[in-house]
Amino acid sequence: MRMSDAPAPPASRARTGRMSAMNAPTSEMIINALPLPVLTIGPDERILQVNMAAEHFFDYSRRMMQRQRLRDIIPFSSPIIALVNEVRRRRASVSEYRVELASPRTGVERSVDVFATHLDDDLVVLMLQERTIADKMNRQLTHRGAARSMVALGAMLAHEIKNPLAGIRGAAQLLEQSAAEDDRLLTRLICDESDRIVRIVERMELFGDERPVERGPVNVHGVLDQVKRSAQSGFARHIRFVENYDPSLPPVLGNRDQLIQVILNLVKNAAEAIGADAVDGEIILSTAFRTGLRLQVPGSRERVSLPIEVAVRDNGPGVSAELLPDLFDPFVTTKAQGSGLGLALVAKIVGDHGGIVECDPAPRRTTFRVLLPMSHARDGRESSVETE
Protein backbone atom coordinates (compact mmCIF):
# COMPACT_ATOMS: atom_id res chain seq x y z
CA MET A 1 0.00 0.00 0.00
CA ARG A 2 1.36 3.43 -0.96
CA MET A 3 1.65 6.11 1.67
CA SER A 4 -0.73 8.34 -0.25
CA ASP A 5 -3.39 5.63 -0.05
CA ALA A 6 -3.03 5.07 3.69
CA PRO A 7 -5.89 6.34 5.82
CA ALA A 8 -5.22 9.45 7.88
CA PRO A 9 -4.83 9.04 11.65
CA PRO A 10 -8.04 9.60 13.64
CA ALA A 11 -6.69 12.80 15.22
CA SER A 12 -5.81 14.17 11.79
CA ARG A 13 -9.24 13.26 10.44
CA ALA A 14 -10.88 14.99 13.40
CA ARG A 15 -8.84 18.16 12.84
CA THR A 16 -9.70 18.12 9.13
CA GLY A 17 -13.39 17.64 9.91
CA ARG A 18 -13.38 20.55 12.37
CA MET A 19 -11.63 22.83 9.86
CA SER A 20 -14.10 21.90 7.13
CA ALA A 21 -17.00 22.57 9.45
CA MET A 22 -15.52 25.94 10.35
CA ASN A 23 -14.87 26.95 6.74
CA ALA A 24 -18.00 25.56 5.11
CA PRO A 25 -21.10 27.75 5.53
CA THR A 26 -24.16 26.05 6.97
CA SER A 27 -27.35 25.68 4.97
CA GLU A 28 -29.02 28.22 7.26
CA MET A 29 -26.29 30.77 6.57
CA ILE A 30 -26.66 30.22 2.82
CA ILE A 31 -30.45 30.60 2.89
CA ASN A 32 -30.26 33.73 5.03
CA ALA A 33 -27.74 35.22 2.63
CA LEU A 34 -30.27 35.03 -0.21
CA PRO A 35 -32.01 38.39 -0.85
CA LEU A 36 -35.26 36.66 -1.89
CA PRO A 37 -37.86 35.20 0.50
CA VAL A 38 -37.48 31.40 0.89
CA LEU A 39 -39.86 29.11 2.79
CA THR A 40 -39.84 25.35 3.37
CA ILE A 41 -43.37 23.89 3.56
CA GLY A 42 -44.18 20.56 5.21
CA PRO A 43 -46.79 17.99 4.08
CA ASP A 44 -49.49 19.53 6.26
CA GLU A 45 -48.71 23.04 4.92
CA ARG A 46 -46.78 23.79 8.10
CA ILE A 47 -44.01 26.35 7.65
CA LEU A 48 -40.83 24.60 8.72
CA GLN A 49 -38.08 27.02 7.76
CA VAL A 50 -37.86 30.63 6.58
CA ASN A 51 -34.99 32.99 5.84
CA MET A 52 -34.52 36.58 6.96
CA ALA A 53 -35.84 37.95 3.65
CA ALA A 54 -39.11 36.04 4.19
CA GLU A 55 -39.45 37.51 7.69
CA HIS A 56 -39.13 41.00 6.24
CA PHE A 57 -41.44 40.23 3.28
CA PHE A 58 -44.32 38.87 5.40
CA ASP A 59 -43.64 41.13 8.40
CA TYR A 60 -43.53 38.10 10.71
CA SER A 61 -40.79 36.78 12.95
CA ARG A 62 -39.38 33.33 12.24
CA ARG A 63 -40.84 31.84 15.42
CA MET A 64 -44.27 33.23 14.62
CA MET A 65 -44.21 31.86 11.06
CA GLN A 66 -43.07 28.41 12.19
CA ARG A 67 -46.21 28.14 14.32
CA GLN A 68 -48.49 28.64 11.34
CA ARG A 69 -49.50 27.05 8.09
CA LEU A 70 -49.02 28.55 4.66
CA ARG A 71 -52.68 29.52 4.32
CA ASP A 72 -52.38 31.52 7.57
CA ILE A 73 -49.97 34.04 6.03
CA ILE A 74 -51.48 34.21 2.53
CA PRO A 75 -55.14 34.16 1.41
CA PHE A 76 -56.61 30.63 1.24
CA SER A 77 -57.66 31.34 -2.37
CA SER A 78 -54.13 32.25 -3.46
CA PRO A 79 -52.80 30.30 -6.46
CA ILE A 80 -49.61 29.71 -4.45
CA ILE A 81 -51.41 27.06 -2.37
CA ALA A 82 -52.51 25.26 -5.52
CA LEU A 83 -48.97 25.58 -6.85
CA VAL A 84 -47.54 23.86 -3.76
CA ASN A 85 -50.03 21.02 -4.12
CA GLU A 86 -49.14 20.65 -7.78
CA VAL A 87 -45.41 20.49 -7.01
CA ARG A 88 -46.06 17.82 -4.36
CA ARG A 89 -48.25 15.82 -6.76
CA ARG A 90 -45.86 16.03 -9.71
CA ARG A 91 -42.72 15.83 -7.56
CA ALA A 92 -41.14 18.38 -9.88
CA SER A 93 -40.26 22.07 -9.98
CA VAL A 94 -42.93 24.54 -11.07
CA SER A 95 -42.71 28.30 -11.68
CA GLU A 96 -45.49 30.84 -12.01
CA TYR A 97 -45.12 34.50 -12.92
CA ARG A 98 -46.99 37.64 -11.89
CA VAL A 99 -49.00 36.11 -9.08
CA GLU A 100 -50.99 38.64 -7.05
CA LEU A 101 -50.21 38.03 -3.38
CA ALA A 102 -52.06 39.88 -0.61
CA SER A 103 -50.93 39.71 3.00
CA PRO A 104 -53.78 39.23 5.51
CA ARG A 105 -51.54 40.83 8.16
CA THR A 106 -50.68 44.09 6.37
CA GLY A 107 -53.32 44.26 3.64
CA VAL A 108 -50.60 45.08 1.10
CA GLU A 109 -50.97 43.42 -2.30
CA ARG A 110 -47.86 42.58 -4.29
CA SER A 111 -47.10 40.99 -7.62
CA VAL A 112 -44.56 38.17 -7.32
CA ASP A 113 -42.90 35.45 -9.37
CA VAL A 114 -43.08 32.10 -7.56
CA PHE A 115 -40.54 29.29 -7.87
CA ALA A 116 -41.32 25.99 -6.13
CA THR A 117 -39.42 22.72 -6.02
CA HIS A 118 -39.97 19.31 -4.37
CA LEU A 119 -37.65 17.73 -1.79
CA ASP A 120 -37.67 14.39 0.00
CA ASP A 121 -40.22 13.73 2.76
CA ASP A 122 -42.82 15.67 0.75
CA LEU A 123 -41.20 19.01 1.50
CA VAL A 124 -41.70 21.95 -0.86
CA VAL A 125 -39.33 24.90 -1.07
CA LEU A 126 -40.88 28.21 -2.14
CA MET A 127 -38.91 31.19 -3.39
CA LEU A 128 -40.65 34.51 -4.14
CA GLN A 129 -39.38 37.33 -6.28
CA GLU A 130 -41.29 40.57 -5.98
CA ARG A 131 -42.09 42.20 -9.30
CA THR A 132 -42.15 45.67 -7.76
CA ILE A 133 -38.47 46.44 -8.31
CA ALA A 134 -38.37 45.27 -11.93
CA ASP A 135 -41.63 47.00 -12.77
CA LYS A 136 -40.46 50.05 -10.84
CA MET A 137 -37.46 50.37 -13.16
CA ASN A 138 -39.62 50.11 -16.28
CA ARG A 139 -42.22 52.55 -14.98
CA GLN A 140 -39.58 55.02 -13.91
CA LEU A 141 -38.12 55.14 -17.42
CA THR A 142 -41.65 55.69 -18.73
CA HIS A 143 -42.21 58.51 -16.23
CA ARG A 144 -38.98 60.18 -17.34
CA GLY A 145 -40.01 59.92 -20.99
CA ALA A 146 -43.43 61.38 -20.22
CA ALA A 147 -41.84 64.24 -18.30
CA ARG A 148 -39.36 64.95 -21.10
CA SER A 149 -42.19 65.05 -23.61
CA MET A 150 -43.55 68.05 -21.69
CA VAL A 151 -40.43 70.14 -22.34
CA ALA A 152 -41.31 71.32 -25.84
CA LEU A 153 -45.02 71.51 -25.02
CA GLY A 154 -44.38 73.65 -21.92
CA ALA A 155 -42.22 76.14 -23.83
CA MET A 156 -44.77 76.41 -26.63
CA LEU A 157 -47.70 76.90 -24.27
CA ALA A 158 -45.85 79.56 -22.32
CA HIS A 159 -45.54 81.66 -25.46
CA GLU A 160 -48.83 80.84 -27.18
CA ILE A 161 -51.16 80.98 -24.17
CA LYS A 162 -49.85 83.47 -21.61
CA ASN A 163 -49.81 86.46 -23.96
CA PRO A 164 -53.45 86.06 -25.19
CA LEU A 165 -54.57 85.38 -21.62
CA ALA A 166 -53.10 88.70 -20.50
CA GLY A 167 -55.26 90.44 -23.14
CA ILE A 168 -58.37 88.50 -22.09
CA ARG A 169 -57.83 89.38 -18.44
CA GLY A 170 -57.24 93.05 -19.24
CA ALA A 171 -60.45 93.19 -21.30
CA ALA A 172 -62.41 91.56 -18.46
CA GLN A 173 -61.10 94.15 -15.99
CA LEU A 174 -62.19 96.99 -18.29
CA LEU A 175 -65.66 95.47 -18.66
CA GLU A 176 -65.93 95.07 -14.90
CA GLN A 177 -65.69 98.84 -14.37
CA SER A 178 -68.92 99.53 -16.28
CA ALA A 179 -70.74 96.21 -15.77
CA ALA A 180 -73.79 95.63 -13.59
CA GLU A 181 -73.42 93.77 -10.31
CA ASP A 182 -74.56 90.43 -11.80
CA ASP A 183 -72.21 90.80 -14.77
CA ARG A 184 -69.28 91.57 -12.48
CA LEU A 185 -69.50 88.01 -11.20
CA LEU A 186 -68.86 86.83 -14.75
CA THR A 187 -65.94 89.21 -15.33
CA ARG A 188 -64.45 88.13 -11.99
CA LEU A 189 -64.81 84.51 -13.10
CA ILE A 190 -62.95 85.30 -16.35
CA CYS A 191 -60.08 86.85 -14.39
CA ASP A 192 -59.89 83.99 -11.89
CA GLU A 193 -59.90 81.32 -14.56
CA SER A 194 -57.31 83.21 -16.60
CA ASP A 195 -55.05 83.36 -13.54
CA ARG A 196 -55.54 79.62 -12.97
CA ILE A 197 -54.50 78.81 -16.54
CA VAL A 198 -51.42 81.00 -16.19
CA ARG A 199 -50.43 79.13 -13.03
CA ILE A 200 -50.78 75.80 -14.84
CA VAL A 201 -48.66 77.03 -17.74
CA GLU A 202 -46.00 78.36 -15.37
CA ARG A 203 -45.79 74.97 -13.70
CA MET A 204 -45.42 73.34 -17.11
CA GLU A 205 -42.54 75.69 -17.86
CA LEU A 206 -40.61 73.95 -15.09
CA PHE A 207 -40.49 70.84 -17.30
CA GLY A 208 -38.61 72.81 -19.93
CA ASP A 209 -35.91 74.04 -17.57
CA GLU A 210 -32.86 72.08 -18.76
CA ARG A 211 -30.25 74.29 -17.12
CA PRO A 212 -27.68 72.36 -15.06
CA VAL A 213 -28.46 72.41 -11.36
CA GLU A 214 -25.76 72.53 -8.74
CA ARG A 215 -25.81 69.41 -6.60
CA GLY A 216 -23.94 68.44 -3.49
CA PRO A 217 -24.33 66.64 -0.14
CA VAL A 218 -27.82 67.23 1.28
CA ASN A 219 -29.13 66.18 4.67
CA VAL A 220 -32.58 64.75 3.86
CA HIS A 221 -33.66 65.10 7.49
CA GLY A 222 -33.16 68.86 7.19
CA VAL A 223 -35.30 68.80 4.05
CA LEU A 224 -38.04 66.80 5.79
CA ASP A 225 -37.98 69.07 8.82
CA GLN A 226 -38.44 72.20 6.69
CA VAL A 227 -41.28 70.62 4.71
CA LYS A 228 -43.01 69.50 7.91
CA ARG A 229 -42.83 72.99 9.43
CA SER A 230 -44.19 74.53 6.24
CA ALA A 231 -47.03 72.02 6.00
CA GLN A 232 -48.02 72.32 9.67
CA SER A 233 -48.28 76.06 9.39
CA GLY A 234 -50.53 75.86 6.34
CA PHE A 235 -52.37 73.16 4.42
CA ALA A 236 -51.65 70.30 6.92
CA ARG A 237 -52.24 72.06 10.24
CA HIS A 238 -55.03 69.57 11.06
CA ILE A 239 -52.85 66.49 10.40
CA ARG A 240 -50.60 64.65 12.86
CA PHE A 241 -47.03 64.05 11.67
CA VAL A 242 -44.97 61.04 12.76
CA GLU A 243 -41.21 60.90 12.15
CA ASN A 244 -39.39 57.59 11.79
CA TYR A 245 -35.83 58.45 10.79
CA ASP A 246 -32.58 56.54 10.50
CA PRO A 247 -30.22 58.85 12.43
CA SER A 248 -27.11 57.40 10.76
CA LEU A 249 -28.32 58.10 7.22
CA PRO A 250 -25.56 59.56 4.99
CA PRO A 251 -26.21 62.64 2.85
CA VAL A 252 -27.75 62.32 -0.60
CA LEU A 253 -26.31 63.79 -3.77
CA GLY A 254 -28.84 66.38 -4.81
CA ASN A 255 -30.13 69.92 -4.89
CA ARG A 256 -31.71 71.00 -1.61
CA ASP A 257 -34.33 73.32 -3.12
CA GLN A 258 -35.47 70.72 -5.63
CA LEU A 259 -35.64 67.98 -3.00
CA ILE A 260 -37.77 70.28 -0.82
CA GLN A 261 -40.08 70.74 -3.80
CA VAL A 262 -40.33 66.94 -4.25
CA ILE A 263 -41.15 66.19 -0.60
CA LEU A 264 -43.48 69.19 -0.32
CA ASN A 265 -45.46 67.97 -3.34
CA LEU A 266 -45.72 64.47 -1.84
CA VAL A 267 -46.79 65.79 1.57
CA LYS A 268 -49.34 68.14 -0.03
CA ASN A 269 -50.64 65.22 -2.09
CA ALA A 270 -50.96 63.14 1.10
CA ALA A 271 -52.77 65.95 2.94
CA GLU A 272 -55.25 66.38 0.09
CA ALA A 273 -55.86 62.62 0.03
CA ILE A 274 -56.63 62.66 3.76
CA GLY A 275 -59.01 65.58 3.32
CA ALA A 276 -59.60 68.84 5.14
CA ASP A 277 -62.35 67.42 7.36
CA ALA A 278 -60.44 64.38 8.66
CA VAL A 279 -60.07 64.20 12.43
CA ASP A 280 -57.59 61.29 12.52
CA GLY A 281 -55.34 62.30 9.61
CA GLU A 282 -51.76 61.08 9.89
CA ILE A 283 -48.67 61.45 7.71
CA ILE A 284 -45.59 59.35 8.47
CA LEU A 285 -42.22 60.64 7.28
CA SER A 286 -39.51 57.98 7.30
CA THR A 287 -35.97 57.40 6.07
CA ALA A 288 -33.95 54.20 5.73
CA PHE A 289 -30.75 52.85 4.23
CA ARG A 290 -31.48 50.08 1.71
CA THR A 291 -28.65 48.11 0.15
CA GLY A 292 -28.78 46.07 -3.02
CA LEU A 293 -30.74 48.30 -5.41
CA ARG A 294 -28.76 49.50 -8.42
CA LEU A 295 -30.05 51.28 -11.54
CA GLN A 296 -28.31 51.46 -14.89
CA VAL A 297 -27.89 54.99 -16.19
CA PRO A 298 -29.59 55.35 -19.61
CA GLY A 299 -27.11 55.66 -22.46
CA SER A 300 -24.16 54.19 -20.53
CA ARG A 301 -22.98 51.06 -18.77
CA GLU A 302 -22.68 52.83 -15.44
CA ARG A 303 -24.82 51.48 -12.61
CA VAL A 304 -25.80 53.80 -9.77
CA SER A 305 -26.60 52.56 -6.28
CA LEU A 306 -29.79 53.99 -4.71
CA PRO A 307 -29.48 53.16 -1.02
CA ILE A 308 -31.28 56.14 0.53
CA GLU A 309 -35.04 55.80 0.91
CA VAL A 310 -37.35 58.66 1.85
CA ALA A 311 -41.00 57.70 2.33
CA VAL A 312 -44.21 59.67 2.82
CA ARG A 313 -47.16 57.59 4.07
CA ASP A 314 -50.72 58.75 4.67
CA ASN A 315 -53.86 57.10 6.02
CA GLY A 316 -56.14 58.46 3.31
CA PRO A 317 -58.52 56.32 1.23
CA GLY A 318 -55.75 55.18 -1.15
CA VAL A 319 -55.07 55.20 -4.89
CA SER A 320 -57.33 53.30 -7.27
CA ALA A 321 -55.78 50.41 -9.21
CA GLU A 322 -56.92 51.97 -12.50
CA LEU A 323 -55.01 55.19 -11.82
CA LEU A 324 -51.79 53.61 -10.54
CA PRO A 325 -50.03 52.81 -13.87
CA ASP A 326 -50.40 56.43 -15.05
CA LEU A 327 -50.05 58.14 -11.68
CA PHE A 328 -46.86 60.06 -12.57
CA ASP A 329 -47.98 61.07 -16.07
CA PRO A 330 -48.88 64.74 -16.71
CA PHE A 331 -52.54 65.77 -16.33
CA VAL A 332 -53.50 62.56 -14.48
CA THR A 333 -55.53 63.51 -11.40
CA THR A 334 -58.74 62.70 -9.53
CA LYS A 335 -59.01 66.14 -7.93
CA ALA A 336 -61.68 68.51 -9.18
CA GLN A 337 -59.30 71.50 -9.07
CA GLY A 338 -56.07 69.59 -9.70
CA SER A 339 -53.81 70.13 -12.69
CA GLY A 340 -52.20 66.69 -12.61
CA LEU A 341 -48.68 68.16 -12.81
CA GLY A 342 -47.51 67.76 -9.21
CA LEU A 343 -46.51 64.09 -9.34
CA ALA A 344 -45.23 64.44 -12.91
CA LEU A 345 -42.88 67.17 -11.70
CA VAL A 346 -41.82 64.93 -8.79
CA ALA A 347 -40.96 62.16 -11.27
CA LYS A 348 -38.93 64.57 -13.40
CA ILE A 349 -36.90 65.99 -10.50
CA VAL A 350 -36.24 62.57 -8.97
CA GLY A 351 -35.29 61.24 -12.41
CA ASP A 352 -32.89 64.17 -12.92
CA HIS A 353 -31.27 63.14 -9.63
CA GLY A 354 -30.82 59.61 -10.97
CA GLY A 355 -33.37 58.23 -8.53
CA ILE A 356 -36.69 56.41 -8.49
CA VAL A 357 -40.09 57.38 -7.11
CA GLU A 358 -42.83 54.82 -6.67
CA CYS A 359 -46.24 54.50 -5.05
CA ASP A 360 -47.19 51.49 -2.92
CA PRO A 361 -50.99 51.69 -2.60
CA ALA A 362 -53.06 50.12 0.14
CA PRO A 363 -56.35 51.06 1.83
CA ARG A 364 -55.60 53.61 4.55
CA ARG A 365 -51.88 53.10 3.97
CA THR A 366 -50.58 54.76 0.79
CA THR A 367 -46.80 55.14 0.64
CA PHE A 368 -44.71 57.18 -1.78
CA ARG A 369 -41.05 56.10 -1.74
CA VAL A 370 -38.16 58.08 -3.19
CA LEU A 371 -34.86 56.21 -3.69
CA LEU A 372 -31.82 58.44 -4.13
CA PRO A 373 -28.05 58.06 -4.63
CA MET A 374 -25.64 58.67 -1.79
CA SER A 375 -23.15 61.53 -1.94
CA HIS A 376 -19.48 60.55 -2.18
CA ALA A 377 -16.34 62.64 -1.83
CA ARG A 378 -13.97 62.94 -4.77
CA ASP A 379 -11.76 60.24 -3.30
CA GLY A 380 -14.72 57.86 -3.26
CA ARG A 381 -15.37 58.11 0.46
CA GLU A 382 -18.78 58.87 1.90
CA SER A 383 -19.43 62.63 2.09
CA SER A 384 -20.38 64.39 5.27
CA VAL A 385 -22.76 67.29 5.70
CA GLU A 386 -23.62 69.46 8.63
CA THR A 387 -27.06 69.11 10.14
CA GLU A 388 -29.28 71.85 8.81
Side-chain angles (χ1 to χ4, degrees), residues 146-159 161-162 196-210 261 330-331 339-342 344-345 348:
R148 282 195 297 268
S149 69
M150 298 298 296
V151 172
L153 180 59
M156 180 193 70
L157 287 174
H159 176 73
I161 295 181
K162 288 174 71 174
R196 189 171 70 89
I197 295 174
V198 169
R199 287 194 298 269
I200 293 175
V201 173
E202 287 175 345
R203 295 188 71 185
M204 291 183 62
E205 283 185 286
L206 296 174
F207 288 95
D209 189 356
E210 296 295 321
Q261 186 174 11
F331 303 116
S339 63
L341 294 176
L345 185 59
K348 178 185 183 299

Side-chain angles (χ1 to χ4, degrees), residues 241-259:
F241 278 79
V242 177
E243 297 169 318
N244 184 14
Y245 296 160
D246 179 352
S248 62
L249 201 68
V252 303
L253 178 62
N255 179 274
R256 178 179 169 82
D257 292 338
Q258 287 192 342
L259 291 177

Side-chain angles (χ1 to χ4, degrees), residues 51 53 68 133-134 174 228 282 291 302 313 315 333 336 358 367 370 379-380:
N51 66 348
Q68 302 187 68
I133 297 299
L174 291 175
K228 188 189 76 168
E282 180 182 84
T291 59
E302 180 185 0
R313 175 182 296 174
N315 61 348
T333 182
E358 187 54 54
T367 305
V370 179
D379 59 2

Side-chain angles (χ1 to χ4, degrees), residues 116-172:
T117 189
H118 183 269
L119 296 180
D120 293 336
D121 299 327
D122 252 1
L123 302 181
V124 175
V125 177
L126 278 179
M127 184 170 70
L128 309 177
Q129 182 174 17
E130 191 173 2
R131 296 287 311 177
T132 304
I133 297 299
D135 293 342
K136 184 181 292 184
M137 302 294 187
N138 294 333
R139 284 201 297 268
Q140 184 65 24
L141 294 177
T142 302
H143 301 333
R144 292 180 186 176
R148 282 195 297 268
S149 69
M150 298 298 296
V151 172
L153 180 59
M156 180 193 70
L157 287 174
H159 176 73
E160 298 295 336
I161 295 181
K162 288 174 71 174
N163 290 339
L165 279 176
I168 293 172
R169 194 183 193 286

Side-chain angles (χ1 to χ4, degrees), residues 272-351:
E272 291 174 350
I274 291 172
D277 300 327
V279 295
D280 60 344
E282 180 182 84
I283 294 177
I284 301 176
L285 304 176
S286 63
T287 62
F289 191 86
R290 309 291 189 194
T291 59
L293 180 59
R294 295 172 66 86
L295 177 66
Q296 183 167 349
V297 178
S300 73
R301 295 184 178 180
E302 180 185 0
R303 301 185 71 83
V304 177
S305 178
L306 305 176
I308 299 179
E309 176 185 287
V310 182
V312 177
R313 175 182 296 174
D314 67 76
N315 61 348
V319 179
S320 65
E322 295 79 11
L323 188 64
L324 188 62
D326 306 314
L327 192 60
F328 294 94
D329 289 346
F331 303 116
V332 175
T333 182
T334 57
K335 304 167 189 172
Q337 301 298 323
S339 63
L341 294 176
L343 290 179
L345 185 59
V346 166
K348 178 185 183 299
I349 294 176
V350 173

Side-chain angles (χ1 to χ4, degrees), residues 61-260:
S61 68
R62 177 178 307 186
R63 289 186 177 182
M64 183 69 71
M65 293 181 71
Q66 289 175 335
R67 296 173 187 167
Q68 302 187 68
R69 297 190 302 164
L70 182 62
R71 65 180 64 238
D72 295 328
I73 64 171
I74 64 176
F76 70 91
S77 59
S78 172
I80 295 180
I81 295 178
L83 182 67
V84 170
N85 294 332
E86 182 181 358
V87 168
R88 188 168 283 130
R89 179 178 56 84
R90 293 172 51 183
R91 295 181 175 272
S93 299
V94 177
S95 303
E96 192 160 334
Y97 299 91
R98 293 188 180 276
V99 176
E100 297 303 320
L101 176 61
S103 169
R105 178 181 174 88
T106 63
V108 177
E109 184 169 309
R110 298 163 170 168
S111 179
V112 297
D113 297 337
V114 185
F115 307 93
T117 189
H118 183 269
L119 296 180
D120 293 336
D121 299 327
D122 252 1
L123 302 181
V124 175
V125 177
L126 278 179
M127 184 170 70
L128 309 177
Q129 182 174 17
E130 191 173 2
R131 296 287 311 177
T132 304
I133 297 299
D135 293 342
K136 184 181 292 184
M137 302 294 187
N138 294 333
R139 284 201 297 268
Q140 184 65 24
L141 294 177
T142 302
H143 301 333
R144 292 180 186 176
R148 282 195 297 268
S149 69
M150 298 298 296
V151 172
L153 180 59
M156 180 193 70
L157 287 174
H159 176 73
E160 298 295 336
I161 295 181
K162 288 174 71 174
N163 290 339
L165 279 176
I168 293 172
R169 194 183 193 286
Q173 288 177 321
L174 291 175
L175 288 173
E176 187 176 6
Q177 296 176 5
S178 58
E181 186 64 30
D182 293 340
D183 293 335
R184 287 181 182 177
L185 295 175
L186 297 177
T187 57
R188 190 70 258 161
L189 178 63
I190 294 174
C191 292
D192 292 342
E193 289 300 299
S194 298
D195 292 340
R196 189 171 70 89
I197 295 174
V198 169
R199 287 194 298 269
I200 293 175
V201 173
E202 287 175 345
R203 295 188 71 185
M204 291 183 62
E205 283 185 286
L206 296 174
F207 288 95
D209 189 356
E210 296 295 321
R211 293 172 298 178
V213 177
E214 183 179 354
R215 295 190 176 96
V218 178
N219 180 358
V220 293
H221 295 145
V223 170
L224 290 168
D225 187 57
Q226 180 169 336
V227 169
K228 188 189 76 168
R229 290 200 307 267
S230 176
Q232 287 181 320
S233 63
F235 59 84
R237 61 170 57 94
H238 63 295
I239 296 175
R240 185 171 75 97
F241 278 79
V242 177
E243 297 169 318
N244 184 14
Y245 296 160
D246 179 352
S248 62
L249 201 68
V252 303
L253 178 62
N255 179 274
R256 178 179 169 82
D257 292 338
Q258 287 192 342
L259 291 177
I260 288 175

